[in-house]
Amino acid sequence: MSAPPSPSTSNFIRSIIDADLAAGKFSARRWAGRPGVAPEHRGGNADPARIRTRFPPEPNGYLHVGHAKSICLNFGLARDYGGHCHMRFDDTNPVKEEQEYVDSILEAVRWLGFDWVHGAEENLYFASDYFDWLYRFAEHLVEAGHAYVDSQDADAIRAGRGTLTERGRESPFRDRPPSESLALLREMREGKHAEGSHVLRARIDMASPNINMRDPVLYRIRFAEHHRTGERWCIYPMYDYAHPLSDALENITHSICTLEFEDHRPLYDWLLERVAEGGFFDRPLPQQIEFARLNMTYTITSKRRLQELVQMGLVDGWDDPRMTTIVGLRRRGYSPEAIRLFCDRIGVSKADSWIDMGVLEQALRDDLEDKAPRASAVLDPLKLILTNWPQERTEECSAPVHPQRPDLGKRSLPFGRELWIERDDFAEAPPKGFFRLFPGNMVRLRYGHVIRCTGCEKDAQGQVTAVLAEVMPDSRSGTPGADAYKVKGNIHWVSVSQALQAEVRLYDRLFREPMPDAGGRDCKLALNPASRRVVRAQLEPGLADAQPEQRFQFERHGYFVADRHDSKPGAPVFNRAVSLKDSWGTNRKSA
Ligand code: ATP
Ligand code: MG
């Protein structure tokens, strides 16, 4: 059994689970080994899962960072409480769903470090596998007088639903005898009626202050091919109908969803009660619990809006490293650990709030700080010529792979007469407080020698083409005389003759405003024009061996990853995941 949750990660959902377990609420539950109705579960063993949660995406797009919060929550609770979390595709809407999305969602959940296989039990489910049961429950509801076939058209149904201030109006078909509704429902299923000609509605309360309870539609006719059931069905259940019943079939104990479903909970409970009365479910029934969705600044957390960015070509696909999709974050260089750390830090609450993107970025820095090997990379190369160093002489300078982790060993940096340095590490006329290279000044070449700048070379336009300097005697790092030199600047470099030239993509936030789609505004207007800059960089030669998805700290620059798609053996392409410091100055939780 897993360790109990630590108090630091406790939240209101854990309190509910703690109380349920303390009261032995689930102790008599049985489990058929697969989803099913009460008679099947009764024939099974005691449920091996102390609780059951589920992650239920609709396979209509790629998952984003908001889904990561839900994944970490649902799978994390199951892990911490000795439970099982089911991976369930909510694929009851035939027109928007595709296998491509199913595959990518499974891969994303696994990549985040979670799993739906528990011993011999593989808890991977599709709501579409429940269509027979869902239909059976619908007939029960009709027979029991809890549902009816409404033959009004969509406009009339919408008009009859009323408003927040005005009660709804009963449909003229509301008191249709159950036998007539049942016959119609069967004809609907057999394809005898056109789309929109009839719907199945629950018979609840048209005067309810909660509009969700005003005889909601349960089934509609759609002559559409479904990605799993093909053309077997031409009536499809609504989300609000399919969801609670799928939860009950799967023995879910805690059905965790986002706050916008709070008003749907009475319907969730009503449906479970009515179907349980038909003998299909035993108690305790699943409990819906709502939590605040993740809203994050400088991004959008809506599959539909993300899809627009892809379709309009504003980004290079779902896995563009600027996208906060899980595939995008992965390609950007995020580790699963960083995303889980982020989800732990933001916690779970009942109140909507905004999390600054800086919190996500900081989680990545905090995860990689201790893990990422260091490397030298010159992103804006300028040649440095060491005029007193013999042309043919090269030396190997030794640098730690990680300054705090001697266990990771050393790396070797070839040093010679010509080196690449960053263009902005040299200033012909230094501004006040500039400690790096300018004529007459001394700096240390990190892990190498101390040098004194003697001047520079320029082209006809006055652009600096090379910096000239002399190596100071006995100044090599790690040798006895090295400390005799007192210098304020310490710059990185790579050898011109042995550098690895590589494409490096400098990514930044996709939007330049914290709330790009606030108030329904078109988020495309808030795009950051500088969100992607590509440079030819000069890198230390050892980086030629970087494996796709291997992450590094490029010293003084930030964390970078070898792109998982475009890197070739011996020729990696790097993406900047995050800079070393938060240049947006917004690393805080905003209200
Ligand atoms: P979108 O609006 O982006 O399509 P969705 O809620 O429709 O998102 P689903 O596929 O239905 O997407 O969501 C699967 C699960 O992920 C649901 O349980 C949902 O509550 C959760 N989820 C989606 N977005 C967020 C978010 N921003 N924060 C937390 N959980 C989320
Ligand atoms: Mg949805």
Side-chain angles (χ1 to χ4, degrees):
M1 192 138 315
S2 323
S6 68
S8 67
T9 57
S10 196
N11 58 50
F12 77 98
I13 299 180
R14 288 176 185 266
S15 306
I16 293 171
I17 297 174
D18 289 336
D20 287 345
L21 291 175
K25 183 173 172 189
F26 312 122
S27 49
R29 292 160 53 85
R30 306 187 86 70
W31 168 244
R34 69 188 106 76
V37 288
E40 294 169 282
H41 285 313
R42 275 178 222 141
N45 296 321
D47 193 332
R50 291 177 74 215
I51 61 166
R52 285 184 190 265
T53 55
R54 84 285 171 270
F55 173 63
E58 200 181 336
N60 62 351
Y62 282 74
L63 300 183
H64 52 63
V65 63
H67 295 107
K69 177 175 179 182
S70 176
I71 292 168
C72 290
L73 176 60
N74 281 294
F75 283 92
L77 288 170
R79 178 197 59 209
D80 293 345
Y81 283 97
H84 296 180
C85 180
H86 296 190
M87 177 70 229
R88 181 203 309 151
F89 286 97
D90 225 321
D91 60 347
T92 53
N93 183 351
V95 283
K96 290 191 298 186
E97 296 155 0
E98 284 176 36
Q99 187 62 37
E100 175 198 350
Y101 299 134
V102 170
D103 297 338
S104 82
I105 289 170
L106 293 177
E107 191 180 353
V109 174
R110 267 197 227 102
W111 179 75
L112 279 173
F114 298 106
D115 197 349
W116 47 88
V117 179
H118 306 94
E121 207 182 297
E122 183 175 4
N123 292 300
L124 170 62
Y125 303 115
F126 291 82
S128 58
D129 288 345
Y130 308 146
F131 280 166
D132 284 308
W133 277 312
L134 297 176
Y135 178 76
R136 177 71 194 86
F137 304 153
E139 288 206 347
H140 157 72
L141 292 174
V142 171
E143 286 164 344
H146 296 310
Y148 60 97
V149 170
D150 192 348
S151 306
Q152 300 183 99
D153 64 25
D155 288 340
I157 292 176
R158 202 174 307 116
R161 186 149 292 153
T163 63
L164 285 176
T165 51
E166 209 186 313
R167 85 188 290 286
R169 267 177 286 110
E170 281 75 7
S171 161
F173 301 97
R174 195 171 198 261
D175 293 321
R176 180 173 249 170
S179 58
E180 193 182 314
S181 279
L182 190 60
L184 274 170
L185 178 62
R186 289 180 177 167
E187 288 174 14
M188 285 163 62
R189 185 192 54 178
E190 286 157 18
K192 294 194 174 143
H193 297 281
E195 281 190 14
S197 58
H198 308 280
V199 292
L200 182 71
R201 292 179 76 175
R203 196 168 187 281
I204 310 180
D205 180 7
M206 292 307 290
S208 172
N210 182 343
I211 296 184
N212 295 300
M213 298 298 273
R214 295 182 189 167
D215 292 11
V217 173
L218 306 181
Y219 266 94
R220 69 240 193 271
I221 302 171
R222 279 271 187 292
F223 289 94
E225 184 165 330
H226 185 276
H227 77 125
R228 282 173 66 86
T229 59
E231 294 186 348
R232 206 158 80 75
W233 293 89
C234 61
I235 56 171
Y236 288 94
M238 304 299 286
Y239 173 88
D240 273 347
Y241 176 74
H243 202 87
L245 303 172
S246 303
D247 283 345
L249 286 164
E250 292 181 20
N251 255 11
I252 299 301
T253 54
H254 303 88
S255 178
I256 299 164
C257 62
T258 44
L259 275 183
E260 57 283 15
F261 290 97
E262 196 164 12
D263 287 348
H264 300 234
R265 188 175 356 119
L267 176 56
Y268 182 99
D269 291 337
W270 185 92
L271 280 164
L272 289 179
E273 290 291 341
R274 298 295 84 75
V275 176
E277 284 162 10
F280 295 105
F281 303 135
D282 284 336
R283 283 159 214 285
L285 296 167
Q287 179 187 359
Q288 174 177 310
I289 303 170
E290 306 87 17
F291 72 105
R293 63 184 288 117
L294 170 66
N295 297 307
M296 193 164 71
T297 59
Y298 297 97
T299 189
I300 43 184
T301 44
S302 150
K303 274 188 240 149
R304 191 173 53 78
R305 293 251 164 85
L306 291 167
Q307 184 161 36
E308 275 171 26
L309 297 175
V310 174
Q311 280 168 350
M312 299 190 62
L314 297 168
V315 293
D316 304 328
W318 285 100
D319 68 346
D320 184 300
R322 293 165 294 180
M323 293 274 274
T324 46
T325 51
I326 296 181
V327 280
L329 292 170
R330 176 175 180 180
R331 195 163 174 198
R332 176 74 170 258
Y334 273 82
S335 58
E337 293 84 355
I339 297 175
R340 295 200 303 262
L341 178 63
F342 167 71
C343 291
D344 282 349
R345 284 183 178 170
I346 60 176
V348 176
S349 83
K350 267 251 172 231
D352 264 318
S353 71
W354 283 76
I355 302 292
D356 196 276
M357 182 174 265
V359 179
L360 177 67
E361 294 166 343
Q362 191 55 40
L364 181 59
R365 292 187 193 101
D366 291 345
D367 178 50
L368 295 184
E369 161 66 24
D370 290 342
K371 294 201 278 208
R374 281 16 182 192
S376 296
V378 177
L379 301 182
D380 185 8
L382 174 62
K383 193 174 280 185
L384 169 69
I385 302 172
L386 303 173
T387 50
N388 62 346
W389 190 271
Q391 189 79 49
E392 60 292 346
R393 180 164 160 209
T394 61
E395 223 176 70
E396 293 294 327
C397 295
S398 171
V401 170
H402 191 294
Q404 279 82 46
R405 294 193 47 193
D407 56 304
L408 295 181
K410 300 266 188 200
R411 53 194 230 265
S412 176
L413 305 174
F415 185 94
R417 181 180 162 93
E418 296 196 345
L419 305 176
W420 294 115
I421 60 168
E422 296 291 346
R423 184 165 286 278
D424 68 5
D425 279 340
F426 172 74
E428 201 179 4
K432 205 166 176 292
F434 186 88
F435 298 123
R436 290 164 284 159
L437 279 174
F438 56 88
N441 195 39
M442 282 200 298
V443 300
R444 173 167 295 285
L445 295 171
R446 213 167 159 78
Y447 313 118
H449 298 258
V450 174
I451 60 171
R452 183 201 304 273
C453 181
T454 54
C456 64
E457 291 174 356
K458 294 187 201 176
D459 62 15
Q461 284 74 45
Q463 163 98 318
V464 176
T465 52
V467 177
L468 306 176
E470 291 172 351
V471 177
M472 305 307 287
D474 299 324
S475 66
R476 185 174 157 164
S477 248
T479 60
D483 291 341
Y485 293 93
K486 297 293 172 224
V487 294
K488 285 188 173 167
N490 187 332
I491 68 174
H492 67 277
W493 50 275
V494 295
S495 147
V496 168
S497 62
Q498 299 189 59
L500 171 74
Q501 199 187 122
E503 176 176 322
V504 175
R505 299 151 180 179
L506 301 174
Y507 289 109
D508 201 348
R509 296 177 182 180
L510 184 57
F511 295 102
R512 59 188 148 78
E513 288 178 41
M515 294 184 191
D517 56 357
R521 176 181 52 174
D522 183 355
C523 63
K524 293 184 282 300
L525 301 174
L527 285 170
N528 173 9
S531 63
R532 179 180 196 267
R533 197 157 65 79
V534 180
V535 297
R536 299 294 306 173
Q538 302 289 349
L539 311 180
E540 70 173 72
L543 284 172
D545 298 328
Q547 298 302 303
E549 295 206 75
Q550 202 180 345
R551 303 177 187 87
F552 298 88
Q553 185 193 99
F554 288 179
E555 289 174 302
R556 300 173 68 207
H557 287 302
Y559 293 97
F560 290 71
V561 68
D563 189 88
R564 57 192 287 243
H565 294 315
D566 299 336
S567 295
K568 304 267 180 321
V573 169
F574 287 93
N575 299 332
R576 179 168 67 196
V578 68
S579 55
L580 283 183
K581 295 220 174 63
D582 178 9
S583 59
W584 294 73
T586 52
N587 180 15
R588 61 190 154 77
K589 203 169 154 175
S590 52

